[in-house]
Amino acid sequence: MSIYDTLNKEQKQAVATVSGPLLLLAGAGSGKTRVLTHRIAYLIDQMGVSPWNILAITFTNKAAGEMRERVDRLVGFGADQIWVSTFHSACMRILRRHIDRLGYDNGFTIYDTDDQKVVMKDVLKRLEIDPKAYKERTLLSAISSAKDKLIGVREYEREAAGDYGRAVYARVYREYQETLRRNNALDFDDIIVKTVELFQSCPEVLASYQERFRYIMVDEYQDTNAAQFELVRLLADQYRNLCVVGDDDQSIYRFRGADIRNILDFEQHFPEAQVIKLEQNYRSTQSILDAANAVIQNNTGRKEKALWTDRGAGSRIRFRQFDNAYEEAEFIADDILSSVRREGARYKDCAVLYRTNAQSRLLEERMILGGIPYNVVGGTNFYARMEIKDILAYLKTIDNGRDEVAVRRVVNIPKRGIGPATMEKLEDYAQLHDISLYEAMRQAQDIMGMGKAAAKIRPFVQLVEDLRRQAGQLTVAELIKEVVERTGYEAYLQEYDDESAEDRISNVDELLAKAVSYQESHEEPSLTEFLEEVALVAEIDNVDGGDDRVLLLTLHSAKGLEFPKVYLAGMEDGLFPSFLSIASESPEDVEEERRLAYVGITRAMDDLTLTCARMRMVRGETQYNPVSRFVREIPEALLDHAPSGGKPQGGTFSIDREPSGLPFGERADARPKALSRPRTTPAADKPFIARGIGSLNQLAGISKGAYASAPSEPDYGEGDRVSHVKYGEGKVLKMEREPRDYKVTVLFDRAGQKVMYASFAKLKRV
């Protein structure tokens, strides 16, 4: 039997359509990766195309790894010549060979988010811009957005002419880019932008890659931004054998710069393009797919399609509404336990998806109380941990001495007595002589006024120079061991925090394991390539499918994953969709949220549960939200309980409303006019109103009249020392009286600055 006999009609058509542009509209769970890998095999086996001439691009390392494995199994000999990689990995390979044509050294460094913040902080200092007036995060976001759209510094400056606020952004953008160039560094956006710049400025380089990649396939095309679109367009312009695969209904990364118009307007950019729809789903039951179809058809900016399956209808979707978020979390935890103990499910079969990271706290607490093993996607990334960043900064300094961020990070780790005044002299000298900070350190003895400080710098420079000489003879793992041993890093961790030292040392050991794994999987391993691979690791790539644990993650993080049992928590208007999207004048904002709901629903294979709460504490304030419109868009026949009206059943309640027709605690004048629709309160619901609000107050420990009474004054004030059960001791910096509570700003000795409400913080005066 041929390997192509396992494909359905539309999949076979997509595999055999190899000439010219092709738009493959692949619905959720429709087997798009299977189609892409079989298409590659078809090109080689049936069309005689050389593996050397094929490029397949996707977005995450995880997806690229899965595709690589499947291609290797299908193609066999010659599969290693096919480029199967992420956008960033492919561009990195190109830049490592040719970036010198743009004025960079080929051994450039990649800056992560933390590195970018360090650079931005220095930029604001040099330009004498108040960081309170212009936030680092806002400036970095604006620069990233400009790069996504291929707007360079000069164009940004032209557009900002005459606008003082934008002119400040333009000055910062220019200084930020010049700093990166001096440091021989790129940020993540630059990896794509500089590759496009290389192709535009060096036609011979572009021509060589156009000739190399005669057949190009791009996965998750709906997530591409303007820079990625231009990169693909340039590469495909010669032979135009471009196959893009995606689903406009799953375009959920607009906040990262993704442009849904790239997929919606594909036929305008490539008029000769063929379009094939993959609508047969192999993942979910028909009830789940019918719910997803019903929700997404309310969007206007989409290409018409409807998912179907031959798996059967399956069970109805469960809907549960609770008095508060505590009960919601308790139900989810108890239901998972019941599934495992009574139905034989595994913990890893279950996933809890939510709109915001803040929702995970209550869920985690209930998991812990129930003894349920779980993992949270979106916690501290392994490579963002202090000890890992320290070791990597040493490796970056050894590999690229021009990386000032890395040099600054480790010059005093462990402590060498090199203070801010010394660093300022070194930075001034480096700027004056147009050299790197590390090079200035090498010349410290020649700097006027350096004095005894030069002797403190010398051991650091000697250490780096010694390790550089050894780097050529040592493996990456051996070099890490050498860094740890020569710096006395384990002793430094013990001194830094004895309680966490063991865990931190274990993390360094895990980095060693990563280095060994890297060496074993690469024919010609190098320090530069190792640092590059580490820098490109994405959060979701760290999800270990082998752990028998419940997964807690945001809806954005869940894309590309699937689970037998899915819980969508917090299905409330005001939370999902968010209040800002509801209040927005642009319908696109709610449509993006609806696509996110579609993604969440289609993660479920067999069982889907939707939950919401009448009352939820958000940023210390109590909110009362109606059931999400996305739940109400699902036909009642698909749900085991109706989302509104009717007699309460089990854990499900109708929405309690005030006489105004609005949920409890919500004033009509506090809502946008578009949302203030009069509603009537069914007579059957009225008895539950008094009972519902009473039970909420009792659960939250709120006495009658507490909402109207003034907050009680804490027994501490500004300047006092206080202690917190989690954060330890600190100093009260600021106290603000609000209608229901006091907002307190505390600078904790170890945890840093926190803002909290007095009644919840339970601070005690020391």
Side-chain angles (χ1 to χ4, degrees):
M1 184 177 75
S2 167
I3 60 171
Y4 309 108
D5 291 340
T6 59
L7 304 175
N8 65 38
K9 178 185 174 183
E10 289 76 20
Q11 289 175 333
K12 286 180 180 178
Q13 184 184 356
V15 164
T17 304
V18 295
S19 298
L22 171 64
L23 171 58
L24 197 54
L25 290 171
S30 61
K32 62 185 177 64
T33 304
R34 183 180 182 81
V35 170
L36 283 175
T37 52
H38 279 69
R39 194 172 189 273
I40 291 171
Y42 185 87
L43 282 167
I44 297 169
D45 294 341
Q46 305 297 315
M47 305 300 295
V49 174
S50 168
W52 175 265
N53 294 133
I54 299 172
L55 168 66
I57 303 177
T58 188
F59 271 80
T60 68
N61 292 316
K62 183 175 182 289
E66 289 175 358
M67 191 182 295
R68 175 88 266 171
E69 288 178 11
R70 294 199 201 182
V71 167
D72 289 347
R73 285 199 304 269
L74 280 176
V75 175
F77 181 76
D80 58 327
Q81 295 182 44
I82 303 168
W83 272 31
V84 180
S85 66
T86 64
F87 269 102
H88 287 91
S89 294
C91 289
M92 286 293 293
R93 291 179 70 174
I94 295 168
L95 292 176
R96 285 292 179 207
R97 292 188 61 188
H98 304 290
I99 200 172
D100 56 315
R101 295 170 180 248
L102 299 179
Y104 289 79
D105 290 346
N106 294 91
F108 59 87
T109 297
I110 305 168
Y111 277 177
D112 63 16
T113 304
D114 288 340
D115 297 330
Q116 289 178 267
K117 288 177 182 176
V118 172
V119 171
M120 183 55 70
K121 189 175 182 179
D122 290 343
V123 165
L124 295 181
K125 185 178 178 181
R126 283 198 298 273
L127 297 180
E128 297 181 342
I129 293 173
D130 184 1
K132 293 179 180 178
Y134 294 90
K135 304 290 186 184
E136 294 168 15
R137 181 184 297 181
T138 306
L139 290 163
L140 286 169
S141 177
I143 291 172
S144 178
S145 179
K147 290 181 180 181
D148 286 344
K149 298 170 185 172
L150 288 177
I151 299 174
V153 172
R154 290 181 181 176
E155 184 179 350
Y156 200 95
E157 287 173 334
R158 284 198 301 272
E159 292 179 358
D163 184 326
Y164 176 78
R166 290 204 67 191
V168 173
Y169 277 64
R171 286 174 58 211
V172 170
Y173 188 4
R174 175 171 290 281
E175 184 65 22
Y176 173 81
Q177 285 302 112
E178 289 178 354
T179 302
L180 260 60
R181 182 180 284 271
R182 283 198 302 272
N183 293 357
N184 196 38
L186 305 179
D187 61 23
F188 281 97
D189 297 312
D190 282 332
I191 294 172
I192 308 294
V193 171
K194 291 300 177 185
T195 307
V196 172
E197 184 181 330
L198 173 70
F199 286 161
Q200 291 174 336
S201 59
C202 303
E204 70 282 5
V205 174
L206 172 60
S208 69
Y209 283 101
Q210 287 176 335
E211 194 64 32
R212 167 80 190 265
F213 302 127
R214 299 188 180 193
Y215 295 86
I216 300 171
M217 279 157 274
V218 182
D219 195 9
E220 305 289 3
Y221 190 68
Q222 76 280 348
D223 293 334
T224 55
N225 58 33
Q228 290 160 335
F229 167 81
E230 183 62 13
L231 175 74
V232 170
R233 189 196 67 78
L234 287 167
L235 283 171
D237 198 42
Q238 177 67 24
Y239 289 96
R240 299 181 77 77
N241 296 321
L242 171 65
C243 170
V244 300
V245 186
D247 182 4
D248 51 297
D249 290 336
Q250 295 186 74
S251 179
I252 59 173
Y253 294 122
R254 189 169 58 141
F255 68 98
R256 293 182 185 170
D259 187 352
I260 194 174
R261 301 312 311 179
N262 287 348
I263 191 167
L264 293 179
D265 298 340
F266 185 79
E267 295 115 303
Q268 294 181 28
H269 298 300
F270 298 91
E272 74 273 34
Q274 298 185 62
V275 180
I276 299 173
K277 296 180 182 180
L278 300 183
E279 296 172 293
Q280 183 175 358
N281 177 283
Y282 294 90
R283 173 190 299 156
S284 308
T285 63
Q286 192 62 52
S287 292
I288 292 170
L289 297 181
D290 286 346
N293 290 334
V295 171
I296 200 63
Q297 72 180 7
N298 290 283
N299 274 7
T300 56
R302 64 184 294 262
K303 290 181 176 290
E304 190 63 37
K305 68 187 85 67
L307 298 177
W308 64 274
T309 185
D310 56 13
R311 286 194 59 202
S315 58
R316 286 195 294 176
I317 295 163
R318 292 192 299 170
F319 171 71
R320 299 289 183 271
Q321 184 181 16
F322 301 94
D323 278 340
N324 53 72
Y326 297 93
E327 290 182 2
E328 178 189 44
E330 185 176 31
F331 164 79
I332 291 172
D334 289 348
D335 199 64
I336 290 172
L337 273 177
S338 177
S339 297
V340 172
R341 293 172 179 173
R342 299 178 188 174
E343 302 170 19
R346 297 170 299 178
Y347 288 115
K348 70 177 183 179
D349 292 340
C350 307
V352 187
L353 314 183
Y354 37 80
R355 180 64 181 85
T356 66
N357 277 308
Q359 291 171 253
S360 71
R361 182 183 65 82
L362 286 176
L363 291 164
E364 286 190 70
E365 289 176 1
R366 294 308 309 180
M367 296 291 168
I368 292 168
L369 287 172
I372 300 173
Y374 70 91
N375 278 334
V376 179
V377 176
T380 303
N381 187 297
F382 175 78
Y383 295 103
R385 299 178 190 275
M386 180 198 82
E387 59 277 13
I388 302 304
K389 289 187 73 68
D390 286 347
I391 300 300
L392 291 177
Y394 263 111
L395 297 181
K396 288 177 181 179
T397 302
I398 294 165
D399 188 53
N400 173 22
R402 286 171 59 182
D403 186 348
E404 292 187 10
V405 173
V407 172
R408 258 191 250 135
R409 182 179 183 95
V410 295
V411 69
N412 264 322
I413 295 179
K415 293 180 181 178
R416 298 185 174 93
I418 303 171
T422 301
M423 290 301 295
E424 193 171 340
K425 289 176 183 176
L426 288 165
E427 289 165 3
D428 290 345
Y429 183 84
Q431 198 164 7
L432 181 65
H433 293 80
D434 196 22
I435 58 176
S436 70
L437 178 62
Y438 179 72
E439 187 58 34
M441 289 179 175
R442 293 180 64 187
Q443 301 175 26
Q445 68 279 359
D446 300 328
I447 300 175
M448 291 282 292
M450 189 60 70
K452 295 179 180 179
K456 296 177 181 178
I457 297 167
R458 194 174 301 117
F460 173 71
V461 173
Q462 189 62 51
L463 171 66
V464 173
E465 293 299 308
D466 288 349
L467 292 172
R468 276 185 176 177
R469 283 190 289 270
Q470 291 179 275
Q473 287 73 47
L474 300 177
T475 65
V476 176
E478 289 169 342
L479 188 59
I480 292 173
K481 288 180 182 178
E482 197 71 16
V483 168
V484 172
E485 187 176 330
R486 292 281 299 272
T487 60
Y489 192 71
E490 289 189 9
Y492 164 76
L493 289 177
Q494 293 283 358
E495 185 181 342
Y496 178 82
D497 185 356
D498 185 55
E499 290 184 11
S500 66
E502 187 175 344
D503 286 341
R504 294 183 186 277
I505 291 169
S506 296
N507 287 336
V508 174
D509 290 340
E510 183 61 28
L511 182 64
L512 273 169
K514 162 66 182 175
V516 171
S517 174
Y518 159 77
Q519 288 156 198
E520 292 173 348
S521 60
H522 290 71
E523 291 184 8
E524 298 181 8
S526 69
L527 176 58
T528 299
E529 192 178 35
F530 172 75
L531 291 170
E532 172 188 315
E533 185 170 302
V534 164
L536 294 178
V537 171
E539 208 168 67
I540 197 66
D541 294 328
N542 292 325
V543 174
D544 186 355
D547 283 354
D548 189 22
R549 295 172 177 270
V550 175
L551 212 57
L552 308 182
L553 66 167
T554 65
L555 285 150
H556 282 100
S557 298
K559 188 164 175 293
L561 303 178
E562 58 183 35
F563 308 91
K565 294 179 73 68
V566 167
Y567 299 83
L568 285 184
M571 298 298 291
E572 304 141 29
D573 265 17
L575 183 62
F576 185 39
S578 69
F579 183 79
L580 287 177
S581 66
I582 295 171
S584 170
E585 295 180 0
S586 171
E588 173 56 30
D589 290 335
V590 170
E591 293 211 352
E592 174 102 351
E593 294 274 292
R594 187 174 283 110
R595 291 194 291 269
L596 194 55
Y598 175 84
V599 166
I601 293 169
T602 54
R603 297 313 93 195
M605 299 166 68
D606 304 314
D607 294 297
L608 174 63
T609 302
L610 310 176
T611 65
C612 64
R614 286 188 181 85
M615 180 188 82
R616 190 178 298 274
M617 191 71 70
V618 179
R619 293 182 293 276
E621 296 289 335
T622 303
Q623 289 187 0
Y624 299 85
N625 297 320
V627 176
S628 171
R629 65 193 60 201
F630 303 146
V631 176
R632 301 197 300 269
E633 288 169 355
I634 298 173
E636 288 189 6
L638 297 174
L639 302 170
D640 68 343
H641 291 98
S644 62
K647 185 179 178 181
Q649 303 178 52
T652 310
F653 298 89
S654 58
I655 305 169
D656 292 341
R657 301 188 182 281
E658 293 182 333
S660 65
L662 297 173
F664 267 107
E666 186 167 337
R667 305 191 325 273
D669 60 357
R671 290 166 67 89
K673 290 182 180 179
L675 302 180
S676 300
R677 297 190 297 270
R679 295 188 177 97
T680 58
T681 306
D685 286 352
K686 289 181 181 177
F688 293 95
I689 293 177
R691 189 182 73 183
I693 196 70
S695 63
L696 293 183
N697 289 345
Q698 186 178 7
L699 182 83
I702 303 171
S703 61
K704 291 181 180 179
Y707 287 117
S709 62
S712 57
E713 187 172 352
D715 63 351
Y716 50 83
E718 293 182 1
D720 287 344
R721 295 280 298 175
V722 292
S723 66
H724 185 272
V725 66
K726 179 180 179 181
Y727 301 126
E729 293 188 6
K731 181 181 178 181
V732 178
L733 299 181
K734 188 177 182 182
M735 290 184 65
E736 298 171 82
R737 182 189 176 106
E738 294 193 353
R740 297 182 185 177
D741 208 344
Y742 280 83
K743 188 160 70 173
V744 187
T745 304
V746 184
L747 179 61
F748 290 100
D749 299 342
R750 287 189 176 181
Q753 186 168 304
K754 304 286 182 184
V755 179
M756 54 193 68
Y757 285 94
S759 60
F760 294 96
K762 308 296 184 188
L763 297 168
K764 294 183 180 180
R765 186 174 180 178
V766 179

